[in-house]
Amino acid sequence: MEALARFFARFVSLFVFLLLETVAMIMIIRGGQFQKAAFMSGNVVVGTRVYSMVSSLTDYVSLKYTNTALAQENANLQQQLVTLQSQLDKIHADSLQQPIDTPLLVIPAKVIYSTTNQLHNIIIIDKGSAHGISSGMGVIDCHGVVGVVRSVSENCAAIISALSIKLQISGKFKGNNYLCSVSWDGCSPRTGVVLGIPLHVIPAVGDTILTSGHSAIFPENIPIGIVKSITENSATAWCDLSVRYSAEFASLTFVNVIAYKNQQELLSLQKSMEE
Amino acid sequence: MKNYLSIVWDFLLLGALQVLFFNQVHLFGAGSVFIYVLFVLRLPLQISSTGVMLLSAMMGVFIDVFSQSFGLHTAAIVLIAYLRPSILRMFFSPEEREKYAPTYGLVGANFFKYAVLMILIHHITLFMLEAFSFKYMVSVLIKTLTSSLLTFLFVFVLEIIKRKNIRQW
C-alpha cells in the first residue's frame, strides 16, 4: 500500500512537472504575440509604473554623463543649423521654390526600462500612442541607432533593441555607400556583425556604417557603428565584420523616435511591389 | 507560521532583487546574474516536490512578467525544481535531508556543490530556450559558464550573510 502511495506521489509530481513545462513552452513559442497582447491590454502597466519610479531614482547617477552628451549634441545641432540656415537663405532668394516640407518628426522620449542581457532585448519608453508613436518607427539616440518600436500603449512603447538576434538594420558604408545589413552577435551589448561582405568593397577597421535610409524606418546617414575587426574567409571571397555600436545600450537615458509622415504610404507601396 | 513568512520574504526579496537590480546588470560583457534561483535552492525540505514546483513556477512567472520574457524563466526554474529531490539525494546524507532546509548554515559546504549543479542546469536551460536553436551554441555555452559563475558568487555571498539567521531555528 505504501509503495503504491509512493508511486502515486511520484506520478503526481511528474504530471505537475509536465503540465507546468507545457504551459511555459506554449508561452515561449507564442511569446511574441502574447507579449504584444499583454502590453496592449495594459497588463504591464503596473510593471512600467514600477520601472519609471526606479528610473526616476537611478537617473541621478548618470545625470552628469547625460548632460555632457546632450550639450555635445546641442553644439553639433547648432552648427548644422547655422550651415543649413545659410543654404535656406539662398533658396528663399528664388521665389519659385516651394517651401520645404519636412518628411519626418522627431519625438523625444525617456527610457524607463531596458535590458541588455537577453537574446531579444527590449527597451520601454515613457511616450506612447498619445504622443504620436506607432509600431514600426525607428528609435535613435544622440550617438546612433537604438531600435524599432514594437508595440505601443497609450503612454508607453516597447522597442525591440538593436541587440536582438531577430532584428537586422539596413546600413551602408560611409565611404562607398555599399549596402550591408547589421545584426547582433547575440553576446556582447557593444558589438554587432555584418556578414558576407565581398572583398572588393575593401572594408577597413574604423569604417563607419550608417543607415541606408532605404527602409522608411530610419532617416539616411544615422550612425550604426564602427568596424572593429575583419575576418576574411579564404574559402569564399567574403569577409565578416565585427561592428562596435555607436549607441551605448548599457546606459540609455534619452532617445528620439523618428516618425515618418508618409511611412504607411511607403510601406503599402513596397507591399504592392512585392505582390 | 514563521516558516511561511520566511518563504514569502525570500520570494519578495529575491524577486525584487532580480527584477529591479540584477536584470539591469550585465557584467564583463557576457554574464548576467539570476539570483532568484536561490529561492528554489533554499526552500524547506518538508515541502513536497509538487509544492516546490508550484512555488518555483510562481517565482518564474513573477520574473517573466517583469522581464518581458514570457515563459523562459518559468520553464528553467520548474525544471530544476523537478530535479531538486534527485540532486539533493546525490549530495546529502539521509540525516542531512531531515533538516529544515538545504542551506549553508544547516548542511555546510556541501550546499555549494548542490548549488553549482542546480545553477548550471538552470542557466543552460534558460539560455538554450532563449536562443531556441543550435546556431548560437558557442555563445550559449559561454554565457552559461560566465553567468553561472556570477550567480554562484552572489549565492555564496547571500548564504554567508544569512547563515546566522538560519542557525536560530
Side-chain angles (χ1 to χ4, degrees), chain A residues 73 76 80 139-147 162 169-174 182 207-213 218-226 243-249:
Chain A
E73 198 197 359
N76 290 344
Q80 279 180 28
V139 181
I140 60 175
D141 78 343
C142 53
H143 305 292
V145 168
V146 170
I169 301 163
S170 146
K172 66 176 185 186
F173 287 89
K174 192 179 182 180
V182 183
D207 276 358
T208 310
I209 294 178
L210 306 169
T211 50
S212 66
F218 298 106
E220 206 179 348
N221 296 334
I222 303 285
I224 298 175
I226 289 167
V243 176
R244 186 181 187 321
Y245 283 122
S246 303
E248 203 54 78
F249 290 97

Side-chain angles (χ1 to χ4, degrees), chain A residues 9-78:
Chain A
R10 232 167 110 185
F11 179 74
V12 165
S13 78
L14 182 67
F15 178 74
V16 171
F17 169 66
L18 289 177
L19 186 81
L20 288 172
E21 286 292 351
T22 317
V23 171
M25 285 298 165
I26 291 171
M27 267 155 66
I28 293 170
I29 291 163
R30 309 194 40 177
Q33 299 133 358
F34 203 86
Q35 191 166 326
K36 211 170 174 179
F39 196 82
M40 293 295 209
S41 65
N43 281 348
V44 196
V45 165
V46 184
T48 46
R49 205 163 282 161
V50 173
Y51 293 139
S52 67
M53 263 156 61
V54 174
S55 89
S56 66
L57 286 175
T58 51
D59 279 350
Y60 285 104
V61 182
S62 57
L63 216 54
K64 200 177 168 193
Y65 168 79
T66 315
N67 227 347
T68 344
L70 287 176
Q72 181 62 44
E73 198 197 359
N74 223 348
N76 290 344
L77 291 175
Q78 202 86 48

Side-chain angles (χ1 to χ4, degrees), chain B residues 53-121:
Chain B
M53 267 188 278
L54 290 174
L55 279 171
S56 42
M58 271 162 67
M59 179 55 125
V61 169
F62 180 84
I63 302 292
D64 273 331
V65 166
F66 281 96
S67 324
Q68 312 277 311
S69 58
F70 284 83
L72 278 179
H73 294 281
T74 314
I77 202 171
V78 167
L79 178 71
I80 58 165
Y82 178 69
L83 294 177
R84 194 177 99 130
S86 328
I87 295 174
L88 282 170
R89 248 173 272 137
M90 271 168 69
F91 290 108
F92 302 119
S93 63
E95 302 93 75
E96 281 172 327
R97 275 186 275 130
E98 290 295 307
K99 295 214 164 113
Y100 173 68
T103 58
Y104 175 55
L106 290 173
V107 296
N110 262 356
F111 170 81
F112 294 118
K113 293 186 200 163
Y114 150 76
V116 165
L117 187 58
M118 292 277 272
I119 290 171
L120 273 175
I121 295 173

Side-chain angles (χ1 to χ4, degrees), chain B residues 104-145:
Chain B
Y104 175 55
L106 290 173
V107 296
N110 262 356
F111 170 81
F112 294 118
K113 293 186 200 163
Y114 150 76
V116 165
L117 187 58
M118 292 277 272
I119 290 171
L120 273 175
I121 295 173
H122 173 270
H123 283 28
I124 199 155
T125 320
L126 182 72
F127 289 128
M128 275 171 67
L129 283 175
E130 193 185 30
F132 224 86
S133 83
F134 290 104
K135 197 175 149 197
Y136 300 97
M137 207 57 213
V138 179
S139 138
V140 163
L141 286 178
I142 293 172
K143 272 166 102 173
T144 305
L145 287 179

Side-chain angles (χ1 to χ4, degrees), chain A residues 7 22 26 48 74 76 106 112 117 124 130 137 140 146 158 212 220 238 254 260 269:
Chain A
F7 173 77
T22 317
I26 291 171
T48 46
N74 223 348
N76 290 344
V106 177
I112 54 174
N117 57 6
I124 295 176
M137 289 178 175
I140 60 175
V146 170
S212 66
E220 206 179 348
W238 311 101
F254 292 99
Y260 269 95
L269 199 64

